[in-house]
Amino acid sequence: MSAELDGSGPGSGLDRLPPLREVIAAHGLSARKSLGQNFLLDLNLTGKIARRAGDLTACDVLEVGPGPGGLTRALLAEGARHVVAVERDPRCLPALAEIAAAAPGRLTVLSGDALAIDPAEHLTSPIRIVANLPYNVGTELLVRWLTPPVWPPFWQSLTLMFQREVAERIVAAPGSKAYGRLSILAQWRATARIAFDLPPRAFTPPPKVTSAVVHLARLDAPRFPADAAVLSRVVALAFGQRRKMLRASLKPLGPEVEDLLRAAGIPPTERAEQVSLEAFCALARAVAAASDPGSVTRA
């Protein structure tokens, strides 16, 4: 049996679907750079991604950018209760409709831009997000999922593919060049780690960079108390001019910025990449207290 048909699970019609390369040829699905598309055709690898998300049998799964449906097949084969796939490219919809027909009642395809669609009404908790994200919107989607108005969010975990450079930013520790705003946002509210790499040759067409799958498991509450909006502003200012000392990059916070830094236990001459998540949260609390002494710290 072809590797592209293996692992579909007993009792389903997924094993009767044609190989992905035939699907792509039949529907004329050449990957478009303008949509950030790189198709992953090896179902051994898509199965590995789906399994990294954990036991899906009692979960709904949100997938963004399914393309011809390689990962979609794997999610269904691994027993996902229901998959909601958001696809912007109308050329891919017939191929996805074939998968939906092979797994009756288990796949909903939403046509449109994932940045503009709210799939919540199609999903039932518990929910996990698993996706080979289009390169051009991946980071923006991750930031949205990490910064909802209310925490905890609608999702339990994120299993996402990024360029290796972005993956390193998500898991970076203080003191490294990759450490920045994305590291803070991810690690404040989730446990993040790189699961494995995928070489360019795994994709059609092969990208110029190595990709990596990152798994983020949400925390029920942030690691350290802080107001989300204040923390976001502080971190954006700090890393917006990361080569400057914090007493300079954080000047927009007001003339008392050095006092605020000292109150948080941070030397004013420190640079952003040297400051821990815990210290940034302490600074956010100091900023919130200075602007509204009677305020209640929110997460």
Side-chain angles (χ1 to χ4, degrees), residues 4-284:
E4 293 189 2
L5 300 181
D6 192 20
S8 59
S12 74
L14 297 172
D15 55 346
R16 294 189 292 274
L17 290 169
L20 282 170
R21 290 188 185 279
E22 292 183 12
V23 172
I24 288 173
H27 295 286
L29 298 180
S30 57
R32 289 182 176 174
K33 186 176 181 180
S34 62
L35 297 176
Q37 291 175 330
N38 294 93
F39 298 150
L40 184 60
L41 304 187
D42 185 342
L43 293 196
N44 291 319
L45 291 177
T46 55
K48 186 176 181 181
I49 296 169
R51 288 189 294 274
R52 185 61 191 86
D55 183 358
L56 300 176
T57 55
C59 296
D60 280 11
V61 176
L62 172 62
E63 182 188 6
V64 173
L71 181 56
T72 313
R73 292 192 194 188
L75 293 168
L76 293 166
E78 290 298 319
R81 181 177 64 195
H82 184 207
V83 176
V84 174
V86 181
E87 178 53 60
R88 181 180 177 184
D89 187 351
R91 300 176 306 150
C92 295
L93 299 181
L96 294 170
E98 293 171 1
I99 301 173
R106 296 177 59 211
L107 173 61
T108 299
V109 179
L110 302 180
S111 177
D113 187 344
L115 295 172
I117 288 179
D118 181 4
E121 66 184 56
H122 302 279
L123 293 160
T124 301
S125 183
I127 299 162
R128 299 180 185 179
I129 301 177
V130 187
N132 170 16
L133 292 174
Y135 282 162
N136 55 355
V137 297
T139 302
E140 184 173 352
L141 283 170
L142 175 60
V143 170
R144 288 192 181 192
W145 290 328
L146 290 170
T147 57
V150 178
W151 194 270
F154 71 92
W155 52 267
Q156 283 187 335
S157 67
L158 309 172
T159 305
L160 307 171
M161 191 187 308
F162 296 98
Q163 297 180 46
R164 175 74 194 197
E165 178 186 357
V166 176
E168 290 173 350
R169 287 164 52 201
I170 292 169
V171 303
S176 66
K177 290 183 178 180
Y179 183 66
R181 176 173 174 262
L182 198 57
S183 316
I184 297 292
L185 291 180
Q187 297 171 39
W188 183 43
R189 288 171 156 173
T191 298
R193 74 180 189 87
I194 295 176
F196 52 88
D197 292 340
L198 291 95
R201 65 179 181 275
F203 299 87
T204 299
K208 296 180 180 180
V209 296
T210 296
S211 300
V213 172
V214 181
H215 183 75
L216 299 98
R218 80 178 190 199
L219 301 173
D220 289 336
R223 293 186 190 280
F224 310 104
D227 180 278
V230 176
L231 178 63
S232 181
R233 181 176 183 232
V234 167
V235 171
L237 288 171
F239 286 101
Q241 302 181 71
R242 61 186 301 148
R243 293 185 179 181
K244 290 188 176 183
M245 296 179 185
L246 289 174
R247 65 186 181 190
S249 61
L250 296 179
K251 272 187 177 180
L253 294 179
E256 72 282 4
V257 63
E258 292 195 25
D259 292 336
L260 295 173
L261 285 162
R262 292 191 183 93
I266 303 171
T269 55
E270 198 72 278
R271 289 176 170 80
E273 67 185 32
Q274 300 297 330
V275 178
S276 70
L277 167 61
E278 183 175 9
F280 269 120
C281 290
L283 178 58

